[in-house]
Amino acid sequence: MNRRIKEKIKYTAGIIYCALVYVFLFLPIVVIVVNSFNATTSKPYLSWKGFTFAWYGKLFENTVLLASFGHTVLLAVVSTLLSTAIGTLAAVGMYKYHFKGKGLIDGLLYIPVVIPEIVLGISLLTVFAKASVPRGMITLVLAHVTFSIPFVIFNIRARLSGYDNSIEEASMDLGANRVYTFFHITLPVLAPGIGGGALLAFTLSIDDVIISYFTNGQVKTFPLKVMESIKSGVAPDVNALSTLILVGTSLLVILTQSGIFSKHKK
Amino acid sequence: MEEKKIIVEIKNVNKVYQGTNAVVKDLNLNVYEGEFLTLLGSSGCGKTTTLRMIAGFEDITSGTILVEGENIEDKEPFERNVNTVFQTYALFPHMTVFDNVAYGLKIKKKPKGEIKTKVMEMLELVQLGGFEKRYPSQLSGGQKQRVAIARALINQPRVLLLDEPLGALDLKLRKQMQLELKRLQRKLKITFIYVTHDQEEALSMSDRIAIMNDGILQQVGTPVEIYEQPATRFVASFIGETNLFDGAVSSVDGDKVSVSIESGVITGKGTDFKVGEMVAVSVRPERIKYSVRPVEGFTVPAAVKEQVYVGSVLKTIVVLPNGNEIRIERLAGEELPAEGMVYLYWKDEDAKIIHSFDNNIFAAIDNIQLA
Ligand SMILES: Nc1ncnc2c1ncn2[C@@H]1O[C@H](COP(=O)(O)OP(=O)(O)OP(=O)(O)O)[C@@H](O)[C@H]1O
Ligand SMILES: [Mg+2]
């Protein structure tokens, strides 16, 4: 066969393959977005009955759903802040200092990552119950911080593996004191790792179902609320909220990718 | 060197890292204003440690270091008027070349315009004009090194410390940077304390060389002094190639010293030796002559073992009756006869007498007594 034709076939096959992958990935999302504009009012809200913005209106009347979303955002923000702070200190400390039992602590970090979430959920519930900590926002935050910390540490550590301690010495050598050095050298150089870790912690928290299910008490997060409503088919106002979240996160990703947040290229 | 002002004075300095033996032992060294002094020694002998004590990154276990007559012990690194060029460059990866070089001036809160002209001047000086907008990751090794040098020099330090700054560069670039560094140093008249383990680099760049071995300063002197009058066995064998004969002083007549060795008596030059003292005699390979017939006066018979051409030089290894090998180096020409005996001889002044007991051994004895 002619080489050029062969190349052409290869190329077309590649395009079709990619297209299929993307359809598979994005079709469900498209369905949700489309369905959020579906005028149907009968369960399970699947047959197309015309276009409407009504669900978006209804969404803002559905205080329970909105409250659950509020809980999710609060939970994600607080647990991200805590786990990022703790994780950054841990990663930097474990990079700079050598102490007994460091290897053990290092290995233990992997456990929350690899054990099934359901096991972690049950263990947390058991601990909270035994310690009679009332289940609610506090336990949710504690649980989310627990499973986020290792991810934050791993992210910053990846950044630290290329970190040269002598840049801090160079800074002081050039006349900068320790505080100036921390804010102008250490922090900016580690910032991508810290930011990446925080983003990861945030996304892990925002869509967590299993661990939240065990530790939430009376507080309903958005994913839990959605799980609940599934029994009766996903209500279009949930679709509407999902669509809004989708738009929000996409904007965030586009902004980060286009480099608006980073002052320099690496 | 006389009449020159001392700028760095290292007095009886010892350094012991936690859980190790002394890494720097009783170091005494004066560095003069405007000179290019090289700390030379093999890996692990304490060169970096010495620099880091001057820069302020390591505590001094005992002793004092004075910079411009001032004890720097209690000064933080950022309060000392010395700057360092690190072996790993240590450029700030998140800053452009411009910002890297400007760092020191920004901390001093100099006006923007002044910073700009000075940085540009400095970049011109290290031949990096036009590179100011690049990030360190976009530079080659040699260019990074120039940025590191410019960044350290812009503060106009009284003393610049350089820790094997050319260690990571390939041979050709290293030779070129050696010349450039030397040119910079002459032009700016800043005192350089330069660390290397490359003797050729040390010999070609330095005003004076300080040779360290195992934390002990062996000798300080100009390249010629170090090469021609090695003070210790270590220096003689570390700098260039040499042949060493062990023996005992049999007579002393002014600076003429006779030494009995296994195969006879060598007469050489040296001062401050006593009859009966154990010494070594060092004869450089290029100073050894030979004859195929016995010669008058002192001579050592030997058999040729191996001859190698190295460009313009012929290197020969001969074996003495006692089995010791001697290296001979001559401009390429006629080869030595491969069969039969040759007779080696040299001028009296080419035989340097060296105290055999290095400071090393004294230190070892000290350590034993301490233990
Ligand atoms: N922080 C430290 N803790 C303990 N020992 C150290 C420390 N830093 C250096 N040493 C030891 O001190 C000795 C001297 O080290 P130093 O770095 O001064 O050597 P160097 O002469 O610069 O060698 P090189 O040419 O390899 O750079 C070495 O034996 C080294 O292992
Ligand atoms: Mg070193």
Side-chain angles (χ1 to χ4, degrees), chain B residues 44 47-49 87 163-164 195:
Chain B
K47 306 179 297 285
T48 298
T49 305
Q87 176 164 10
D163 190 359
E164 304 200 28
V195 162

Side-chain angles (χ1 to χ4, degrees), chain B residues 144-155:
Chain B
K144 282 183 197 167
Q145 192 53 266
R146 284 163 215 250
V147 177
I149 291 164
R151 183 179 70 177
L153 283 175
I154 204 158
N155 274 359

Side-chain angles (χ1 to χ4, degrees), chain B residues 17-18 20 23 42-49 58 87 164 197:
Chain B
Y17 285 112
Q18 232 174 355
T20 63
V23 169
S42 40
S43 188
C45 72
K47 306 179 297 285
T48 298
T49 305
E58 297 289 351
Q87 176 164 10
E164 304 200 28
H197 60 252

Side-chain angles (χ1 to χ4, degrees), chain A residues 136-202:
Chain A
M137 193 44 112
I138 304 264
T139 49
L140 273 174
V141 167
L142 287 176
H144 283 215
V145 168
T146 306
F147 70 70
S148 299
I149 283 178
F151 290 96
V152 175
I153 292 181
F154 294 153
N155 233 287
I156 295 172
R157 190 182 281 170
R159 186 81 195 164
L160 276 170
S161 70
Y163 187 77
D164 179 5
N165 241 335
S166 59
I167 60 174
E168 286 174 20
E169 286 182 352
S171 163
M172 288 202 266
D173 190 68
L174 292 166
N177 60 29
R178 287 187 178 77
V179 177
Y180 191 97
T181 299
F182 183 76
F183 283 106
H184 287 81
I185 304 295
T186 317
L187 219 48
V189 171
L190 292 184
I194 297 172
L199 209 61
L200 199 58
F202 191 80

Side-chain angles (χ1 to χ4, degrees), chain B residues 231-280:
Chain B
T232 67
R233 239 188 123 91
F234 176 82
V235 175
S237 52
F238 189 72
I239 298 290
E241 279 186 89
T242 198
N243 299 294
L244 290 170
F245 302 89
D246 289 306
V249 177
S250 56
S251 72
V252 179
D253 175 14
D255 67 347
K256 266 192 175 173
V257 180
S258 296
V259 178
S260 309
I261 63 165
E262 223 179 313
S263 48
V265 175
I266 299 179
T267 306
K269 276 183 73 171
T271 45
D272 210 14
F273 290 94
K274 287 189 287 289
V275 174
E277 185 181 342
M278 297 297 293
V279 292

Side-chain angles (χ1 to χ4, degrees), chain A residues 164 166-167 169-178 180 184-185 188-189 264-266, chain B residues 52 57 76-78 82-84 86 88 90-92 94-95 103-104 107 135 151 155:
Chain A
D164 179 5
S166 59
I167 60 174
E169 286 182 352
S171 163
M172 288 202 266
D173 190 68
L174 292 166
N177 60 29
R178 287 187 178 77
Y180 191 97
H184 287 81
I185 304 295
V189 171
H264 65 92
K265 49 185 185 282
K266 173 65 210 169
Chain B
R52 289 174 62 82
F57 301 127
E76 295 277 5
F78 44 86
V82 298
N83 284 120
T84 310
F86 293 82
T88 53
L91 298 182
F92 307 132
H94 59 301
M95 294 183 190
Y103 194 79
I107 288 162
Y135 284 91
R151 183 179 70 177
N155 274 359

Side-chain angles (χ1 to χ4, degrees), chain B residues 92-236:
Chain B
F92 307 132
H94 59 301
M95 294 183 190
T96 58
V97 167
F98 183 96
D99 288 333
N100 263 280
V101 177
Y103 194 79
L105 297 181
K106 278 187 187 156
I107 288 162
K108 287 186 184 156
K109 300 213 164 66
K110 298 276 189 225
K112 269 220 165 91
E114 187 189 330
I115 292 182
K116 181 149 193 204
T117 36
K118 279 209 168 153
V119 170
M120 289 310 186
E121 250 176 55
M122 202 37 95
L123 287 176
E124 271 323 309
L125 194 65
V126 297
Q127 303 178 358
L128 275 184
F131 282 81
E132 60 274 3
K133 291 211 176 70
R134 298 243 195 134
Y135 284 91
S137 60
Q138 301 166 317
L139 297 177
S140 74
Q143 291 163 344
K144 282 183 197 167
Q145 192 53 266
R146 284 163 215 250
V147 177
I149 291 164
R151 183 179 70 177
L153 283 175
I154 204 158
N155 274 359
Q156 295 179 309
R158 301 287 293 144
V159 180
L160 187 68
L161 310 173
L162 303 101
D163 190 359
E164 304 200 28
L166 310 182
L169 306 181
D170 65 48
L171 190 67
K172 192 163 164 247
L173 192 55
R174 198 154 71 216
K175 298 266 177 221
Q176 183 193 337
M177 287 293 292
Q178 284 173 7
L179 294 176
E180 270 182 45
L181 269 179
K182 188 71 198 162
R183 173 183 63 88
L184 264 181
Q185 193 259 340
R186 286 223 184 90
K187 183 163 176 179
L188 301 171
K189 300 188 175 67
I190 291 176
T191 311
F192 274 33
I193 303 182
Y194 188 97
V195 162
T196 182
H197 60 252
D198 179 342
Q199 47 150 314
E200 224 178 286
E201 191 165 292
L203 289 170
S204 65
M205 297 173 83
S206 322
D207 295 322
R208 289 194 309 150
I209 301 174
I211 298 188
M212 288 178 79
N213 181 33
D214 203 12
I216 298 169
L217 184 64
Q218 301 282 314
Q219 185 174 6
V220 190
T222 63
V224 175
E225 280 166 8
I226 297 266
Y227 190 80
E228 295 292 340
Q229 279 134 39
T232 67
R233 239 188 123 91
F234 176 82
V235 175

